[in-house]
Amino acid sequence: MSKQASTGTRAGRPTLYNLDRDGTLIRTILDKVTSPPNLAPTELAKLLRQHPLPGGQILPKSHLLRAYRQLCARDGTPVNAEVMRRLRVKPTRTASGVAPVSVLTKPYPCPGACIFCPGVDGMPKSYLPDEPGAMRAASYSFDPYGQTAGRVAVMSELGHQVDKVELFILGGSWSCYPEDYQEWFVRRCLDALNGSDAATLEEAQQLNQTASHRNVGLVVETRPDLVTTEEVRRLRWLGVTKVQMGVQSLDDRILALNRRGHTVADTRRAMRLLRLAGFKTVLHWMPNLLGATPDTDRADFGRLWSDPALRPDELKIYPTALLPATELVEHWQRGDYHPYDEETLVSLIATCKTLIPPYCRVNRLMRDIPAPNIVAGVKRSNLRQIVQARMAEDGLACRCIRCREVRGSAVDVDALHLDRVGYSTDATEEVFLSAATPDDKLAGFVRLSLPHAAPPLAELAGCAVVRELHVYGYALGLGTRQPGAAQHAGLGTRLLHLAQRTARQRGYGRIAVIAATGTRLYYRKRGFRAGELYMSRPA
Ligand code: SF4
Ligand SMILES: [Zn+2]
C-alpha cells in the first residue's frame, strides 16, 4: 500500500494502516506484545513480519505505537506505560534515565583557528551541513524554541518519556556568543519545555520547576581558555550544570602544531574552576592529531588520569577526522600527516579504554560525521562496537560508567551493594558513591566534591558539593513507580543521605548541590533551600 492510500492521520502525518479495516490485526499484534514477559526487539520485528497489512506491507514499530494510542483513545482506556516501553522506538535513547535533547546555536565566528576544524557557510564552526543534528537545527533556522519543541514532540511520538530533559546546547564555542543571545537562547529552550512564553530567564526557570517537561541538566560546550571566574558565575546563572570542553591533547607541542590557541595550563585552570563550582565536566580528546603517534597518544591519554588537575567526569574520544577545506588536508597532501589505519586506531582505543577509571563515563568514541565527508582514514561509524569486539577478544574490559549502566535491565533495589571510589584532584577530594547490582551493573551514583581550596563563587564557601546524582533505569513518568526500575525507588534519596553523611564525617557543616531548574523541587523535598546559584542544607 502506498502512503497515498493510507487513511488514518495523526498530527497531520499519514499512517499506513486504517484502524477500521486493520483494527483486529493490530489488536492481535498488541495482544502478543503484551503477553510474553519480555519481548525482545528482534521478537517484535518477527511478530510484525508475521502479521503484515492486507497489501503485504510490514507495520513499522512507530505506526504500531500510534495505532495503540488511537485504540486506547477509542476504547477510553489509559495508555499502559509497560506497553509503551515495549513499543518504544530506539529505546536506548532514554536508557540513561533522561531524554537528551540537542539544539544548535546559530552560525557565529569562533576565535579558534584549529587546523582540523571545518568552517562551512551557514553552519556553526566545526559542524557539517549533512550531520544529522546540524541538518535538524538548520531546518528550524537554528531557532531554539522550534528545535526543542520539535525534538520533544518526535521523542514523545516514538514512545519515550520526555518529562525529564537534559538539554545539550551545541554549536560553536558557547562563551563566544553575545550575552543577550545566550540568555535569549536558554529562555526560548525553556519556553518550549514549559509550553508558555516567559518575559525573563528567571521567570522561565521558575515555570520549569513544575512544568511537564522539566530540565534536569543543561550542557554547553566551550574552550578551556574561555573559562574564567566570571564565566563560571554566568554559566551557573543561566542554569548550566555540565560543561563540555575541547581539550584535544595534553601536550603543548601538539596543541601548538594544531593551532588550538590554548595550553595545557589553561585546561588545568579551567577544570579547577569548574570542579570547584560544582559543574560536571566532559572533556573531548583527539587521538591522531598532527604530530602525534600511537605511542604519544597512549601517553597523552594516561595524563588524563595521572594528572590530578584533570580526571574528568565524562569523556568523548574523537579520533581526528580528515575533513575537506581544512589546513590538515594540506598537511596530508604534502605527506606530513597520516591518518591511522583501522587496526592502529582500534588497538589504540582498546588500550586507552582499559585505563578509564570507574568514575568516568565515555560518551562517544567517534563524532557523527557522515563518511563521504572524510577525505581519508577510518570511516566506520560503528567504531565503538568494533572496539568492544576487539576488547572482548583480547580479554580486556572497560570499567567506565557507560559500559556498566543497567540500562533496560530490571533492578532489585534490595540486592544492590554500595561502592565507594575516592580520588584526589588539585582542589578537591572526590567521592564517587555508586549502587551496583549483584552482576556489577550500575543502578545509580552520586558525585561528591570535598574541596580543600577556596571556591570561585563565595556561596559555596565551606560546603561539600553534590556535583551529580544519577539513578538509571528507563525514564519513568514523574511520580510513577514501576517494579524493577531503578528510578523513583528511593535510590536517589539513599545515595544523597550517604553523601550527606560522608560530608558530615569529613567535617563539612553544609552540603550544596548544583541543581538544574527542573530538579529544584526534588532537592527542596529533601531539605535543600535555594541560595543565589545553588541549593544547600546542613550536612
Ligand atoms: S575552537 Fe572548536 S569551533 Fe573553534 S576552530 Fe577550534 S575546533 Fe573549531
Ligand atoms: Zn566504557
Side-chain angles (χ1 to χ4, degrees), residues 353-354 356-357 360-363 365 384 388 391 397-404:
K353 282 194 79 178
T354 62
I356 297 165
C360 180
R361 185 180 196 274
V362 180
N363 298 337
L365 282 190
R384 185 184 278 270
Q388 269 166 354
M391 292 182 78
C398 177
R399 296 271 303 150
C400 94
I401 291 173
R402 189 180 194 270
C403 292
R404 294 179 59 217

Side-chain angles (χ1 to χ4, degrees), residues 404 415-419 434-444:
R404 294 179 59 217
L416 297 175
H417 63 271
L418 292 166
D419 287 326
S434 61
T437 60
D439 60 347
D440 206 31
K441 293 286 178 201
L442 267 189

Side-chain angles (χ1 to χ4, degrees), residues 166-177:
E166 186 168 23
L167 262 176
F168 291 84
I169 302 181
L170 310 175
S173 297
W174 173 257
S175 311
C176 297
Y177 283 79

